[in-house]
Amino acid sequence: MKVPFIDLTPQHEGIMEEIHQAIDQVFEENSFILGPAVAQFEKAAAKLLSVPHAIGVNSGTDALLLSLKALGISPGDEVIVPTFTFVAVADVVARVGARPVFVDVDPLNYNLAIDSVNHAITPKTKAIIAPHMFGQACDLSNLMQLANAHGLFLIEDVSQAMGGRISNKHLGAMGVTGCFSFYPTKNLGGVGDGGLVVTHNDEVAERIRRYRDHGRNGDGVFQEIGYNSRLDSIQAAILRIKLEELDETIADRVENARFYNELLGEADIEVPEFFERGEHTYNLYTIQCENRDGLRQFLADREIGTAVYYDRPLHLQPCFSYLGYKEGDFPVAELLASRVLSLPIYPGLKKKQIEEVAISIHEFLALQAVEE
Ligand SMILES: Cc1ncc(COP(=O)(O)O)c(C=O)c1O
C-alpha cells in the first residue's frame, strides 16, 4: 500500500465548490491585492485567535521579518533563535542587520531549551524568536518570564502550530507578535505562499501594516522604506474557507498521532508525547531512530514517504558560517539532525495506512535486532 508523505487532496475534497465560489467573488470585486477578501480573512483570524490585530502578509518568513522591523531590531542587536529549526527563523534576523544567536533545543520536544536561552542573553539581546516546533507549544510561561525579566521581545513563530493552545489561549496570541505561515502543508495551508502577523499592540500593528505595503500610511504617504509583502485576495478568500475547517483537520492530526503512539509505543524509537487537543497540533509527527537513514530507505522501498526536518542545524549551514559556530557547539541539535524522521500525519490519512507504516517500522526494527 502506497503511503505518500503528504496528500492535500482530502483537505480540499469537500470544499471545492465553496472555493470556486470564493474565487469567482474575488473576480467580481476586481480587487486582487489587499481587497475585501483580505480584510474579511484578517477579521476571521483575529476573532479565532482573540487578538485585536491580524495582518495578512505574503509568507511566514515576512511575518517574522516585518515583526523584527516593527520592533526596531537593527544592526548591533542580538536575537536568540534555536539552531534546530527552519532557516527563515534566523535569516530574517540577519536581513535586518542584527546577529542571530543560536541556542540548543530540548531533546524530546524539539523546542527552545530554557537554560540555553538564559545563558545566551547578553546586554545586546533584544528579542527571542520561539517557534512552536512540529506543532507543539513551547514552554511559553518560562520564556515569557525570562523575556520580561530582561526586557526582551518574545516573538512567537506559529508557522507549524496554528490552532494550538495553552490553557485555552491560542498560540501566537501571547508573544508581542505571533507569526503564521500558510505554506500549503501547514495546519492552515493556502494554495501558494501566505502569512499573518497578530498582535495586541496597536503601534506594532500600524507599523506592520505600513511595512507590508512599501511603508505607505493611511493617507497614501510613504512614511518609511517598506516592502511589498501583501497577502493577495485569492489566497485570503481560500484561507477564510479553510479556516473554518482548521479545528476539524487538527482533530484528525491528533487522532492520527494517538493511533501512531498506540502502535509504536513499545518500539525501540522515540515517539512524540501525546496530548489531547491543545498543546500539540501534530503538524509533523517526528520520531527518532538510531538508524534513521536505514529506516527511511526501508520505508521508501515500500513506497512509504517520509521527510527529514532537519538534517543540518542552522549553526552548521554555510550561510551562517560568518557567525563562527562549529561542530560540537550544540550537541542536542546535532544528534537530532542524525536521528529525526517525520512520518505521514496529514488529515485524511487512513487508519490502514498508519498501520502499514507502523508494521513496516516494527519489521525494520526486528530485522535490525537480528543483524545485531
Ligand atoms: C518554523 C517556521 N518558521 C518560518 C517558516 C517560513 O514560512 P514561509 O514558508 O511561509 O515563508 C516556516 C516554513 O516552513 C517554518 O516552518
Side-chain angles (χ1 to χ4, degrees):
M1 185 194 306
K2 253 191 183 169
V3 189
F5 177 62
I6 248 163
D7 182 4
L8 300 174
T9 317
Q11 270 188 47
H12 297 140
E13 262 165 359
I15 53 171
M16 275 321 292
E17 204 169 310
E18 264 185 280
I19 288 179
H20 286 305
Q21 280 169 7
I23 294 172
D24 286 349
Q25 171 86 22
V26 173
F27 274 83
E28 272 166 35
E29 286 163 358
N30 252 303
S31 179
F32 296 101
I33 305 277
L34 291 187
V38 173
Q40 283 160 8
F41 169 66
E42 289 176 339
K43 199 170 159 200
K47 185 167 175 229
L48 175 85
L49 301 168
S50 302
V51 287
H53 305 288
I55 304 140
V57 293
N58 74 359
S59 64
T61 304
D62 274 18
L64 292 167
L65 180 71
L66 269 51
S67 293
L68 293 175
K69 285 293 293 182
L71 296 170
I73 309 296
S74 52
D77 294 340
E78 293 180 355
V79 178
I80 294 175
V81 294
T83 183
F84 191 71
T85 189
F86 185 59
V87 65
V89 178
D91 73 33
V92 291
V93 177
R95 283 205 277 149
V96 299
R99 185 181 174 88
V101 174
F102 291 118
V103 299
D104 218 337
V105 297
D106 182 282
L108 294 179
N109 66 29
Y110 312 104
N111 281 323
L112 280 169
I114 302 294
D115 276 359
S116 311
V117 174
N118 200 4
H119 281 119
I121 295 171
T122 75
K124 291 182 178 171
T125 310
K126 288 282 157 35
I128 302 167
I129 302 180
H132 301 290
M133 291 308 299
F134 303 153
Q136 182 168 359
C138 289
D139 180 356
L140 272 185
S141 64
N142 274 317
L143 281 170
M144 281 178 4
Q145 217 172 33
L146 209 54
N148 289 340
H150 294 270
L152 311 177
F153 297 119
L154 180 67
I155 297 171
E156 284 183 77
D157 181 350
V158 206
S159 295
Q160 300 184 5
M162 185 166 189
R165 298 182 202 127
I166 301 177
S167 336
N168 269 337
K169 278 200 174 145
H170 267 274
L171 301 185
M174 291 170 269
V176 60
T177 65
C179 301
F180 297 80
S181 162
F182 303 131
Y183 186 84
T185 60
K186 303 303 193 203
N187 289 351
L188 178 62
V191 295
D193 278 312
L196 186 79
V197 186
V198 303
T199 182
H200 290 273
N201 185 310
D202 297 347
E203 202 179 314
V204 169
E206 197 48 46
R207 297 191 79 184
I208 289 173
R209 279 187 201 285
R210 283 205 301 269
Y211 275 123
R212 77 170 167 183
D213 190 23
H214 299 284
R216 196 187 330 239
N217 69 17
D219 300 326
V221 174
F222 296 100
Q223 200 158 323
E224 60 218 320
I225 305 284
Y227 300 83
N228 177 354
S229 182
R230 302 170 298 219
L231 180 64
D232 64 65
S233 306
I234 286 183
Q235 287 305 332
I238 295 170
L239 286 165
R240 189 157 69 93
I241 292 164
K242 292 189 73 178
L243 190 65
E244 286 168 27
E245 312 290 313
L246 179 66
D247 233 26
E248 205 178 301
T249 54
I250 291 175
D252 218 13
R253 292 179 184 279
V254 172
E255 173 53 23
N256 292 345
R258 189 202 59 72
F259 195 40
Y260 267 129
N261 276 23
E262 182 185 316
L263 300 177
L264 293 173
E266 302 297 312
D268 190 17
I269 53 173
E270 292 290 345
V271 298
E273 191 178 347
F274 181 71
F275 295 89
E276 296 292 345
R277 183 74 182 84
E279 270 187 55
H280 205 325
T281 60
Y282 302 98
N283 179 250
L284 291 166
Y285 183 90
T286 301
I287 62 167
Q288 293 176 44
C289 175
E290 207 169 323
N291 182 4
R292 186 266 317 276
D293 294 337
L295 173 59
R296 190 168 193 213
Q297 187 57 54
F298 186 86
L299 295 175
D301 291 344
R302 295 181 167 203
E303 298 192 290
I304 295 172
T306 58
V308 175
Y309 304 108
Y310 302 90
D311 63 359
R312 194 196 288 227
L314 297 180
H315 68 281
L316 301 178
Q317 295 287 357
C319 64
F320 295 119
S321 60
Y322 72 98
L323 295 169
Y325 292 100
K326 59 183 188 318
E327 213 169 318
D329 282 346
F330 301 106
V332 175
E334 289 170 28
L335 185 66
L336 290 177
S338 68
R339 289 172 57 96
V340 287
L341 186 67
S342 298
L343 306 179
I345 183 85
Y346 58 86
L349 184 67
K350 304 248 176 349
K351 283 239 147 48
K352 271 198 167 341
Q353 291 176 301
I354 295 175
E355 276 168 352
E356 176 79 9
V357 178
I359 289 167
S360 302
I361 291 173
H362 280 294
E363 281 181 24
F364 174 79
L365 295 171
L367 279 172
Q368 289 257 289
V370 170
E371 278 167 24
E372 279 166 14

